[in-house]
């Protein structure tokens, strides 16, 4: 996909979706993970620390708007995207260029993700819609995610898991990024494992405005083509 014009930089939006306050453009970040704040600033977002009583983490206000221009502040933009009190990944961000979608995933994984010593990356959240959106985001990047539901004592939560590799590292935060496996996923292909005859029926096909006819189908976004 081509570059999309995104009102909030992708890594910043991912970090806010993970650890941001749902009612405003504020982000809570552990001081030990200050790399997240630096990555947000690197996207041109203004970050200011707000007084916090927590000695282990800081509260930060974010602003990607134009100074002196009303209606461009980040809280206003988040509201216009329908994200306040409603965290999800807007379709605009799901259809951005590969590098934009990867940065969005990194913001999500640096805040609400984990990478174990085997290089398995997991995103955990009590918001099923957001978990489904992360699944779609990872699938669109070819990461072959799986989704699991867990029912705790207080409320259910969902986990999206996939293998992390250095060649397409879903993390920026060093302590997580360093655990990704070296290299790239081996044999990143899907295979036809069987065919069976079914009855004849009238069907419809599609014609795409692409020379190669390729498109993605299904929840796992399997590549296919229009056969024309």
């Amino acid at each position: 996909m081509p570059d999309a014009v995104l009102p909030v930089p992708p890594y910043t939006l991912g970090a806010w979706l993970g650890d941001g306050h749902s009612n405003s453009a504020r982000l809570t970040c552990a001081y030990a993970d200050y790399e997240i704040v630096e990555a947000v600033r690197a996207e041109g977002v203004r970050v200011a620390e707000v007084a916090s009583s927590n000695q282990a983490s800081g509260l930060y206000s974010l602003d990607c708007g134009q100074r002196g221009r009303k209606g461009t502040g980040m809280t206003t933009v988040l509201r216009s995207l329908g994200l306040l009190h409603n965290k999800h990944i807007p379709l605009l961000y799901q259809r951005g260029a590969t590098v934009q979608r990867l940065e969005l995933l990194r913001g999500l994984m640096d805040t609400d993700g984990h990478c174990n010593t085997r290089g398995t990356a997991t995103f955990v959240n009590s918001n099923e819609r957001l978990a489904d959106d992360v699944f779609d985001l990872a699938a669109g990047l070819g990461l072959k995610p799986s989704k699991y539901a867990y029912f705790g004592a207080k409320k259910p939560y969902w986990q999206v898991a996939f293998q992390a590799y250095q060649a397409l590292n879903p993390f920026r935060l060093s302590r997580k990024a360093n655990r990704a496996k070296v290299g790239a996923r081996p044999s990143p292909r899907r295979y036809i494992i069987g065919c069976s005859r079914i009855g004849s029926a009238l069907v419809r096909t599609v014609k795409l405005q692409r020379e190669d006819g390729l498109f993605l189908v299904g929840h796992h976004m399997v590549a296919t083509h229009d056969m024309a």
Side-chain angles (χ1 to χ4, degrees), residues 178-209:
N178 292 339
R179 286 188 167 185
K181 283 191 172 183
V182 176
R185 181 161 62 88
S187 302
R189 301 178 178 87
R190 296 180 184 272
Y191 299 90
I192 297 173
I193 60 174
C195 296
S196 58
R197 183 180 293 276
I198 60 174
S200 297
L202 292 175
V203 298
R204 292 181 181 273
T205 187
V206 296
K207 177 63 178 176
L208 304 181
Q209 292 181 340

Side-chain angles (χ1 to χ4, degrees), residues 6-9 12 25 43-47 61-67 72-75 77-78 93:
L6 304 176
V8 178
T12 299
E43 287 192 314
V45 175
R46 294 186 294 277
V47 182
S61 65
L62 312 177
D63 187 12
C64 62
Q66 301 177 30
R67 291 185 183 277
T72 65
M74 186 167 169
T75 298
V77 174
L78 291 172
Y93 284 79

Side-chain angles (χ1 to χ4, degrees), residues 3-17 27 34-47 62-66 74 78 93 97-108 110-111 172:
D3 286 340
V5 179
L6 304 176
V8 178
Y11 182 92
T12 299
L13 181 64
W16 179 83
L17 288 171
L27 172 72
Y34 196 74
E35 289 174 83
I36 294 173
V37 176
E38 293 176 334
V40 169
R41 283 194 173 120
E43 287 192 314
V45 175
R46 294 186 294 277
V47 182
L62 312 177
D63 187 12
C64 62
Q66 301 177 30
M74 186 167 169
L78 291 172
Y93 284 79
T98 300
V99 66
Q100 292 176 318
R101 286 179 282 125
L102 181 58
E103 287 302 315
L104 174 62
L105 181 63
R106 285 170 172 165
L108 285 154
D110 280 356
T111 51
R172 274 192 174 276

Side-chain angles (χ1 to χ4, degrees), residues 76-194:
T76 301
V77 174
L78 291 172
R79 182 180 294 109
S80 70
L81 291 170
L83 294 175
L84 294 186
H85 301 290
N86 182 32
K87 287 188 177 183
H88 65 278
I89 299 177
L91 186 61
L92 172 65
Y93 284 79
Q94 292 278 24
R95 299 295 181 263
T98 300
V99 66
Q100 292 176 318
R101 286 179 282 125
L102 181 58
E103 287 302 315
L104 174 62
L105 181 63
R106 285 170 172 165
L108 285 154
M109 297 301 292
D110 280 356
T111 51
D112 264 3
H114 173 72
C115 193
N116 65 21
T117 55
R118 299 185 301 277
T120 301
T122 54
F123 175 84
V124 179
N125 205 280
S126 60
N127 179 343
E128 187 177 14
R129 181 180 181 183
L130 183 57
D132 285 338
D133 287 347
V134 171
F135 182 103
D136 290 344
L137 183 63
L141 290 167
L143 296 174
K144 295 183 69 175
S146 299
K147 177 189 169 189
Y148 306 94
Y150 297 91
F151 299 92
K154 294 183 179 180
K155 59 182 179 180
Y157 62 95
W158 288 265
Q159 180 189 84
V160 177
F162 52 86
Q163 192 64 53
Y165 289 90
Q166 297 285 345
L168 194 70
N169 204 319
F171 301 100
R172 274 192 174 276
L173 193 60
S174 298
R175 65 180 179 85
K176 298 179 181 181
N178 292 339
R179 286 188 167 185
K181 283 191 172 183
V182 176
R185 181 161 62 88
S187 302
R189 301 178 178 87
R190 296 180 184 272
Y191 299 90
I192 297 173
I193 60 174

